[in-house]
Amino acid sequence: MNNRPNDVEPSCAGTLGLHSMRTRLLARTGDPVAKLIAPDFRGDAYALHEQMRAQGPVHRSRTGMFAVLSYEGCHQVLQDARFSTCESLTRPADTCALARSAPARTEGRCSSDKRSDEAYAIAGPLLHPALHRSAARIDTAAHDLLRQHADADFIDLVDDFAFPLVVACLSEMLGISSADSEHFADICNVLGRPVHGTPSAAQVEAVKDAHEDLAALVIRSASERRQSPGGDLISRLTAPRGGNDTGNDVTRLIEHVQRCGHQEPPAPRLGRSGIASDKLGLEEIAAVCRTLIASGLETAVCLIGNAIAALAARPDQWKTLRTAPHLAAKAVNEVLRFDPPHQFLLRMASEQAEVAGHPLPPRSRIVVMLAAAQRDSHQFPDPARFDLARSSGGHVRWSGVSTATR
């Protein structure tokens, strides 16, 4: 259950179509990077990682891309400003956007893995209090979902448990009313499901309608919160932004949403006195909620699914966790290391650089193999073992944020 970027296989025409076809052909002839980025890949990614790692910490693919597999190499690329976000693996190098140039849309797909991670890193201080106040209700929702299928012969733990549970978490976090919860779940079902390949006209229309429905729902909720605020995220977003930490976090989150949507910052709103208002507009609040759903829903569902798969395959570890529930946080960290929802990130070298002794020419496309780095034996002893007692931490970090915190 590995989550690849949604823009791996964009709608292509002309040279982009030919480039994508070449990638498919290379996958069929055994190129490990081409296999991993194929939208229909269902093989053992970790076996491909080891195949490449046997040739060194940096693997040159016949696609022209460089796969960085070592912990130190991935850490370097993600921390070094010379490596900028690349919008797509299958685009030719000269169409990828560097950080210093205007960002390019990827055939209607807004977010990449890095943007998802950044949204979480920025929103974390705002989300945690909202989730903490709802912990008991979320726990009840989890038990209710399991009870619904207690007598069933079969349960799909992703569709029947993980997905509705994460939707319930989002609903609690945002403060969606019980009267709107079913409608909100329908919206999430459209916006949170990945669409591989070129979306149909019906899918495009459904997403457009879901965006409009979410905006209307959030705007109505935000208007209500300004009259009667609570501890949920929408209440926090409707509150005036001051010089405190909460105000700064909200400002960073809004700036992130604007970058993700490639929008210019809105003109300052003036209050009655002519002084710029420190409150968010309703459209800004709706954009934040939309970004959090798009960034986080599939990631959280994949994390739960990967955790269930890892524990189901290791009854001894499941027994350990059941007898010692306080190990839950360590279990999450170990799942993030052992089988992270985001398998890789995309980067491009803006100038000549060197990683793990390998020279990388300017405009080199780089696949930062997060999942491979988390199983680097130089960083993690016996890395292929799933172990709740593991004491070594140090997950790959970008921009000072550890993947172990998400």
Side-chain angles (χ1 to χ4, degrees), residues 64-92:
M65 293 180 280
F66 294 86
V68 180
L69 302 126
S70 69
Y71 176 90
E72 290 297 334
C74 289
H75 184 272
Q76 176 190 337
V77 172
L78 295 177
Q79 294 293 322
D80 194 328
R82 293 175 297 175
F83 298 99
S84 306
T85 300
C86 183
E87 292 290 339
S88 172
L89 283 167
T90 55
R91 289 179 182 271

PDB file of all heavy atoms in Angstrom, residues 64-92:
ATOM      1  N   GLY A  64      17.370   8.430 -17.130  1.00  0.00           N
ATOM      2  CA  GLY A  64      18.101   9.690 -16.985  1.00  0.00           C
ATOM      3  C   GLY A  64      18.036  10.249 -15.584  1.00  0.00           C
ATOM      4  O   GLY A  64      18.718  11.229 -15.268  1.00  0.00           O
ATOM      5  N   MET A  65      17.232   9.627 -14.721  1.00  0.00           N
ATOM      6  CA  MET A  65      17.097  10.098 -13.342  1.00  0.00           C
ATOM      7  C   MET A  65      18.118   9.418 -12.442  1.00  0.00           C
ATOM      8  O   MET A  65      18.630   8.345 -12.755  1.00  0.00           O
ATOM      9  CB  MET A  65      15.686   9.832 -12.832  1.00  0.00           C
ATOM     10  CG  MET A  65      14.625  10.661 -13.535  1.00  0.00           C
ATOM     11  SD  MET A  65      12.949  10.340 -12.922  1.00  0.00           S
ATOM     12  CE  MET A  65      12.577   8.827 -13.787  1.00  0.00           C
ATOM     13  N   PHE A  66      18.389  10.065 -11.306  1.00  0.00           N
ATOM     14  CA  PHE A  66      19.269   9.519 -10.296  1.00  0.00           C
ATOM     15  C   PHE A  66      18.430   9.151  -9.074  1.00  0.00           C
ATOM     16  O   PHE A  66      17.693   9.991  -8.552  1.00  0.00           O
ATOM     17  CB  PHE A  66      20.344  10.525  -9.885  1.00  0.00           C
ATOM     18  CG  PHE A  66      21.327  10.853 -10.963  1.00  0.00           C
ATOM     19  CD1 PHE A  66      21.055  11.850 -11.902  1.00  0.00           C
ATOM     20  CD2 PHE A  66      22.527  10.165 -11.060  1.00  0.00           C
ATOM     21  CE1 PHE A  66      21.959  12.160 -12.893  1.00  0.00           C
ATOM     22  CE2 PHE A  66      23.455  10.470 -12.052  1.00  0.00           C
ATOM     23  CZ  PHE A  66      23.160  11.466 -12.976  1.00  0.00           C
ATOM     24  N   ALA A  67      18.561   7.911  -8.616  1.00  0.00           N
ATOM     25  CA  ALA A  67      17.864   7.480  -7.400  1.00  0.00           C
ATOM     26  C   ALA A  67      18.858   7.518  -6.244  1.00  0.00           C
ATOM     27  O   ALA A  67      19.905   6.877  -6.288  1.00  0.00           O
ATOM     28  CB  ALA A  67      17.311   6.071  -7.570  1.00  0.00           C
ATOM     29  N   VAL A  68      18.529   8.304  -5.212  1.00  0.00           N
ATOM     30  CA  VAL A  68      19.365   8.386  -4.010  1.00  0.00           C
ATOM     31  C   VAL A  68      18.762   7.466  -2.967  1.00  0.00           C
ATOM     32  O   VAL A  68      17.587   7.611  -2.598  1.00  0.00           O
ATOM     33  CB  VAL A  68      19.447   9.832  -3.482  1.00  0.00           C
ATOM     34  CG1 VAL A  68      20.312   9.899  -2.232  1.00  0.00           C
ATOM     35  CG2 VAL A  68      20.012  10.749  -4.558  1.00  0.00           C
ATOM     36  N   LEU A  69      19.554   6.507  -2.475  1.00  0.00           N
ATOM     37  CA  LEU A  69      19.022   5.449  -1.621  1.00  0.00           C
ATOM     38  C   LEU A  69      19.518   5.481  -0.194  1.00  0.00           C
ATOM     39  O   LEU A  69      18.875   4.922   0.698  1.00  0.00           O
ATOM     40  CB  LEU A  69      19.357   4.075  -2.233  1.00  0.00           C
ATOM     41  CG  LEU A  69      18.811   3.881  -3.651  1.00  0.00           C
ATOM     42  CD1 LEU A  69      19.909   3.481  -4.602  1.00  0.00           C
ATOM     43  CD2 LEU A  69      17.732   2.829  -3.645  1.00  0.00           C
ATOM     44  N   SER A  70      20.655   6.087   0.058  1.00  0.00           N
ATOM     45  CA  SER A  70      21.227   6.062   1.403  1.00  0.00           C
ATOM     46  C   SER A  70      20.555   7.086   2.303  1.00  0.00           C
ATOM     47  O   SER A  70      20.031   8.102   1.844  1.00  0.00           O
ATOM     48  CB  SER A  70      22.726   6.334   1.352  1.00  0.00           C
ATOM     49  OG  SER A  70      22.982   7.678   0.978  1.00  0.00           O
ATOM     50  N   TYR A  71      20.596   6.817   3.605  1.00  0.00           N
ATOM     51  CA  TYR A  71      20.033   7.745   4.580  1.00  0.00           C
ATOM     52  C   TYR A  71      20.721   9.106   4.486  1.00  0.00           C
ATOM     53  O   TYR A  71      20.064  10.153   4.396  1.00  0.00           O
ATOM     54  CB  TYR A  71      20.179   7.168   5.985  1.00  0.00           C
ATOM     55  CG  TYR A  71      19.726   8.093   7.078  1.00  0.00           C
ATOM     56  CD1 TYR A  71      18.416   8.074   7.526  1.00  0.00           C
ATOM     57  CD2 TYR A  71      20.614   8.993   7.662  1.00  0.00           C
ATOM     58  CE1 TYR A  71      17.994   8.929   8.529  1.00  0.00           C
ATOM     59  CE2 TYR A  71      20.203   9.855   8.661  1.00  0.00           C
ATOM     60  CZ  TYR A  71      18.899   9.821   9.088  1.00  0.00           C
ATOM     61  OH  TYR A  71      18.495  10.683  10.073  1.00  0.00           O
ATOM     62  N   GLU A  72      22.043   9.106   4.509  1.00  0.00           N
ATOM     63  CA  GLU A  72      22.792  10.361   4.481  1.00  0.00           C
ATOM     64  C   GLU A  72      22.564  11.104   3.173  1.00  0.00           C
ATOM     65  O   GLU A  72      22.435  12.331   3.154  1.00  0.00           O
ATOM     66  CB  GLU A  72      24.282  10.090   4.680  1.00  0.00           C
ATOM     67  CG  GLU A  72      24.643   9.623   6.081  1.00  0.00           C
ATOM     68  CD  GLU A  72      24.332  10.673   7.146  1.00  0.00           C
ATOM     69  OE1 GLU A  72      24.308  11.884   6.800  1.00  0.00           O
ATOM     70  OE2 GLU A  72      24.106  10.294   8.299  1.00  0.00           O
ATOM     71  N   GLY A  73      22.519  10.362   2.052  1.00  0.00           N
ATOM     72  CA  GLY A  73      22.306  11.007   0.764  1.00  0.00           C
ATOM     73  C   GLY A  73      20.944  11.659   0.668  1.00  0.00           C
ATOM     74  O   GLY A  73      20.812  12.797   0.202  1.00  0.00           O
ATOM     75  N   CYS A  74      19.897  10.962   1.117  1.00  0.00           N
ATOM     76  CA  CYS A  74      18.555  11.527   1.091  1.00  0.00           C
ATOM     77  C   CYS A  74      18.459  12.742   1.999  1.00  0.00           C
ATOM     78  O   CYS A  74      17.862  13.770   1.644  1.00  0.00           O
ATOM     79  CB  CYS A  74      17.535  10.474   1.513  1.00  0.00           C
ATOM     80  SG  CYS A  74      17.274   9.162   0.296  1.00  0.00           S
ATOM     81  N   HIS A  75      19.063  12.636   3.178  1.00  0.00           N
ATOM     82  CA  HIS A  75      19.067  13.763   4.113  1.00  0.00           C
ATOM     83  C   HIS A  75      19.740  14.969   3.480  1.00  0.00           C
ATOM     84  O   HIS A  75      19.244  16.107   3.576  1.00  0.00           O
ATOM     85  CB  HIS A  75      19.785  13.363   5.400  1.00  0.00           C
ATOM     86  CG  HIS A  75      19.768  14.417   6.460  1.00  0.00           C
ATOM     87  ND1 HIS A  75      20.719  15.406   6.545  1.00  0.00           N
ATOM     88  CD2 HIS A  75      18.900  14.651   7.483  1.00  0.00           C
ATOM     89  CE1 HIS A  75      20.450  16.196   7.559  1.00  0.00           C
ATOM     90  NE2 HIS A  75      19.350  15.751   8.147  1.00  0.00           N
ATOM     91  N   GLN A  76      20.853  14.752   2.792  1.00  0.00           N
ATOM     92  CA  GLN A  76      21.578  15.854   2.158  1.00  0.00           C
ATOM     93  C   GLN A  76      20.731  16.532   1.094  1.00  0.00           C
ATOM     94  O   GLN A  76      20.629  17.766   1.055  1.00  0.00           O
ATOM     95  CB  GLN A  76      22.872  15.344   1.523  1.00  0.00           C
ATOM     96  CG  GLN A  76      23.641  16.434   0.764  1.00  0.00           C
ATOM     97  CD  GLN A  76      24.786  15.884  -0.060  1.00  0.00           C
ATOM     98  OE1 GLN A  76      25.302  14.800   0.225  1.00  0.00           O
ATOM     99  NE2 GLN A  76      25.189  16.607  -1.084  1.00  0.00           N
ATOM    100  N   VAL A  77      20.120  15.736   0.216  1.00  0.00           N
ATOM    101  CA  VAL A  77      19.336  16.308  -0.874  1.00  0.00           C
ATOM    102  C   VAL A  77      18.173  17.129  -0.332  1.00  0.00           C
ATOM    103  O   VAL A  77      17.881  18.224  -0.819  1.00  0.00           O
ATOM    104  CB  VAL A  77      18.826  15.197  -1.814  1.00  0.00           C
ATOM    105  CG1 VAL A  77      17.835  15.763  -2.841  1.00  0.00           C
ATOM    106  CG2 VAL A  77      19.993  14.530  -2.536  1.00  0.00           C
ATOM    107  N   LEU A  78      17.505  16.625   0.705  1.00  0.00           N
ATOM    108  CA  LEU A  78      16.330  17.309   1.233  1.00  0.00           C
ATOM    109  C   LEU A  78      16.669  18.562   2.032  1.00  0.00           C
ATOM    110  O   LEU A  78      15.825  19.427   2.232  1.00  0.00           O
ATOM    111  CB  LEU A  78      15.512  16.344   2.103  1.00  0.00           C
ATOM    112  CG  LEU A  78      14.908  15.158   1.348  1.00  0.00           C
ATOM    113  CD1 LEU A  78      14.188  14.222   2.309  1.00  0.00           C
ATOM    114  CD2 LEU A  78      13.956  15.626   0.265  1.00  0.00           C
ATOM    115  N   GLN A  79      17.922  18.661   2.480  1.00  0.00           N
ATOM    116  CA  GLN A  79      18.340  19.835   3.247  1.00  0.00           C
ATOM    117  C   GLN A  79      19.044  20.879   2.391  1.00  0.00           C
ATOM    118  O   GLN A  79      19.134  22.043   2.782  1.00  0.00           O
ATOM    119  CB  GLN A  79      19.276  19.405   4.382  1.00  0.00           C
ATOM    120  CG  GLN A  79      18.626  18.541   5.450  1.00  0.00           C
ATOM    121  CD  GLN A  79      17.582  19.296   6.243  1.00  0.00           C
ATOM    122  OE1 GLN A  79      17.739  20.460   6.550  1.00  0.00           O
ATOM    123  NE2 GLN A  79      16.491  18.625   6.565  1.00  0.00           N
ATOM    124  N   ASP A  80      19.561  20.478   1.244  1.00  0.00           N
ATOM    125  CA  ASP A  80      20.404  21.349   0.413  1.00  0.00           C
ATOM    126  C   ASP A  80      19.539  22.197  -0.506  1.00  0.00           C
ATOM    127  O   ASP A  80      18.735  21.676  -1.287  1.00  0.00           O
ATOM    128  CB  ASP A  80      21.361  20.475  -0.415  1.00  0.00           C
ATOM    129  CG  ASP A  80      22.495  21.280  -1.035  1.00  0.00           C
ATOM    130  OD1 ASP A  80      22.277  22.468  -1.378  1.00  0.00           O
ATOM    131  OD2 ASP A  80      23.590  20.721  -1.202  1.00  0.00           O
ATOM    132  N   ALA A  81      19.701  23.513  -0.435  1.00  0.00           N
ATOM    133  CA  ALA A  81      18.888  24.433  -1.229  1.00  0.00           C
ATOM    134  C   ALA A  81      19.145  24.305  -2.723  1.00  0.00           C
ATOM    135  O   ALA A  81      18.361  24.810  -3.535  1.00  0.00           O
ATOM    136  CB  ALA A  81      19.151  25.873  -0.781  1.00  0.00           C
ATOM    137  N   ARG A  82      20.228  23.634  -3.102  1.00  0.00           N
ATOM    138  CA  ARG A  82      20.512  23.459  -4.535  1.00  0.00           C
ATOM    139  C   ARG A  82      19.574  22.451  -5.187  1.00  0.00           C
ATOM    140  O   ARG A  82      19.523  22.352  -6.415  1.00  0.00           O
ATOM    141  CB  ARG A  82      21.954  23.008  -4.740  1.00  0.00           C
ATOM    142  CG  ARG A  82      22.998  24.058  -4.358  1.00  0.00           C
ATOM    143  CD  ARG A  82      24.394  23.487  -4.488  1.00  0.00           C
ATOM    144  NE  ARG A  82      24.594  22.362  -3.563  1.00  0.00           N
ATOM    145  CZ  ARG A  82      25.694  21.609  -3.535  1.00  0.00           C
ATOM    146  NH1 ARG A  82      26.680  21.843  -4.390  1.00  0.00           N
ATOM    147  NH2 ARG A  82      25.798  20.615  -2.662  1.00  0.00           N
ATOM    148  N   PHE A  83      18.835  21.707  -4.376  1.00  0.00           N
ATOM    149  CA  PHE A  83      17.910  20.712  -4.901  1.00  0.00           C
ATOM    150  C   PHE A  83      16.490  21.230  -4.740  1.00  0.00           C
ATOM    151  O   PHE A  83      15.995  21.360  -3.619  1.00  0.00           O
ATOM    152  CB  PHE A  83      18.090  19.375  -4.191  1.00  0.00           C
ATOM    153  CG  PHE A  83      19.463  18.794  -4.381  1.00  0.00           C
ATOM    154  CD1 PHE A  83      20.435  18.929  -3.399  1.00  0.00           C
ATOM    155  CD2 PHE A  83      19.794  18.134  -5.547  1.00  0.00           C
ATOM    156  CE1 PHE A  83      21.701  18.411  -3.564  1.00  0.00           C
ATOM    157  CE2 PHE A  83      21.062  17.601  -5.729  1.00  0.00           C
ATOM    158  CZ  PHE A  83      22.021  17.735  -4.740  1.00  0.00           C
ATOM    159  N   SER A  84      15.849  21.530  -5.856  1.00  0.00           N
ATOM    160  CA  SER A  84      14.526  22.139  -5.841  1.00  0.00           C
ATOM    161  C   SER A  84      13.455  21.117  -6.168  1.00  0.00           C
ATOM    162  O   SER A  84      13.726  20.073  -6.765  1.00  0.00           O
ATOM    163  CB  SER A  84      14.472  23.279  -6.873  1.00  0.00           C
ATOM    164  OG  SER A  84      15.516  24.201  -6.654  1.00  0.00           O
ATOM    165  N   THR A  85      12.229  21.440  -5.796  1.00  0.00           N
ATOM    166  CA  THR A  85      11.115  20.544  -6.061  1.00  0.00           C
ATOM    167  C   THR A  85      10.897  20.394  -7.551  1.00  0.00           C
ATOM    168  O   THR A  85      10.848  21.381  -8.286  1.00  0.00           O
ATOM    169  CB  THR A  85       9.827  21.084  -5.424  1.00  0.00           C
ATOM    170  OG1 THR A  85      10.028  21.196  -4.017  1.00  0.00           O
ATOM    171  CG2 THR A  85       8.656  20.162  -5.685  1.00  0.00           C
ATOM    172  N   CYS A  86      10.748  19.156  -7.999  1.00  0.00           N
ATOM    173  CA  CYS A  86      10.457  18.857  -9.391  1.00  0.00           C
ATOM    174  C   CYS A  86       9.008  18.415  -9.459  1.00  0.00           C
ATOM    175  O   CYS A  86       8.563  17.579  -8.675  1.00  0.00           O
ATOM    176  CB  CYS A  86      11.389  17.754  -9.910  1.00  0.00           C
ATOM    177  SG  CYS A  86      11.184  17.370 -11.658  1.00  0.00           S
ATOM    178  N   GLU A  87       8.244  18.969 -10.413  1.00  0.00           N
ATOM    179  CA  GLU A  87       6.804  18.731 -10.448  1.00  0.00           C
ATOM    180  C   GLU A  87       6.417  17.337 -10.915  1.00  0.00           C
ATOM    181  O   GLU A  87       5.373  16.832 -10.561  1.00  0.00           O
ATOM    182  CB  GLU A  87       6.133  19.766 -11.366  1.00  0.00           C
ATOM    183  CG  GLU A  87       6.184  21.178 -10.831  1.00  0.00           C
ATOM    184  CD  GLU A  87       5.298  21.369  -9.618  1.00  0.00           C
ATOM    185  OE1 GLU A  87       4.371  20.572  -9.437  1.00  0.00           O
ATOM    186  OE2 GLU A  87       5.539  22.299  -8.863  1.00  0.00           O
ATOM    187  N   SER A  88       7.227  16.692 -11.752  1.00  0.00           N
ATOM    188  CA  SER A  88       6.807  15.406 -12.299  1.00  0.00           C
ATOM    189  C   SER A  88       8.001  14.562 -12.679  1.00  0.00           C
ATOM    190  O   SER A  88       9.011  15.072 -13.158  1.00  0.00           O
ATOM    191  CB  SER A  88       5.927  15.622 -13.536  1.00  0.00           C
ATOM    192  OG  SER A  88       5.673  14.389 -14.168  1.00  0.00           O
ATOM    193  N   LEU A  89       7.881  13.256 -12.475  1.00  0.00           N
ATOM    194  CA  LEU A  89       8.940  12.338 -12.879  1.00  0.00           C
ATOM    195  C   LEU A  89       8.974  12.136 -14.376  1.00  0.00           C
ATOM    196  O   LEU A  89      10.033  11.933 -14.957  1.00  0.00           O
ATOM    197  CB  LEU A  89       8.709  10.976 -12.209  1.00  0.00           C
ATOM    198  CG  LEU A  89       9.078  10.876 -10.735  1.00  0.00           C
ATOM    199  CD1 LEU A  89       8.496   9.610 -10.150  1.00  0.00           C
ATOM    200  CD2 LEU A  89      10.581  10.882 -10.559  1.00  0.00           C
ATOM    201  N   THR A  90       7.833  12.157 -15.025  1.00  0.00           N
ATOM    202  CA  THR A  90       7.802  11.799 -16.432  1.00  0.00           C
ATOM    203  C   THR A  90       7.942  12.986 -17.363  1.00  0.00           C
ATOM    204  O   THR A  90       7.984  12.820 -18.571  1.00  0.00           O
ATOM    205  CB  THR A  90       6.484  11.065 -16.764  1.00  0.00           C
ATOM    206  OG1 THR A  90       5.386  11.875 -16.376  1.00  0.00           O
ATOM    207  CG2 THR A  90       6.414   9.737 -16.043  1.00  0.00           C
ATOM    208  N   ARG A  91       8.022  14.191 -16.831  1.00  0.00           N
ATOM    209  CA  ARG A  91       8.255  15.342 -17.698  1.00  0.00           C
ATOM    210  C   ARG A  91       9.737  15.429 -18.061  1.00  0.00           C
ATOM    211  O   ARG A  91      10.590  15.126 -17.244  1.00  0.00           O
ATOM    212  CB  ARG A  91       7.848  16.650 -17.001  1.00  0.00           C
ATOM    213  CG  ARG A  91       6.347  16.825 -16.836  1.00  0.00           C
ATOM    214  CD  ARG A  91       6.072  18.121 -16.127  1.00  0.00           C
ATOM    215  NE  ARG A  91       4.652  18.311 -15.905  1.00  0.00           N
ATOM    216  CZ  ARG A  91       3.842  18.906 -16.770  1.00  0.00           C
ATOM    217  NH1 ARG A  91       4.310  19.350 -17.924  1.00  0.00           N
ATOM    218  NH2 ARG A  91       2.566  19.053 -16.504  1.00  0.00           N
ATOM    219  N   PRO A  92      10.048  15.905 -19.265  1.00  0.00           N
ATOM    220  CA  PRO A  92      11.452  16.166 -19.579  1.00  0.00           C
ATOM    221  C   PRO A  92      12.022  17.171 -18.610  1.00  0.00           C
ATOM    222  O   PRO A  92      11.306  17.994 -18.044  1.00  0.00           O
ATOM    223  CB  PRO A  92      11.391  16.742 -21.008  1.00  0.00           C
ATOM    224  CG  PRO A  92      10.081  16.269 -21.559  1.00  0.00           C
ATOM    225  CD  PRO A  92       9.151  16.190 -20.382  1.00  0.00           C
TER     226      PRO A  92
END
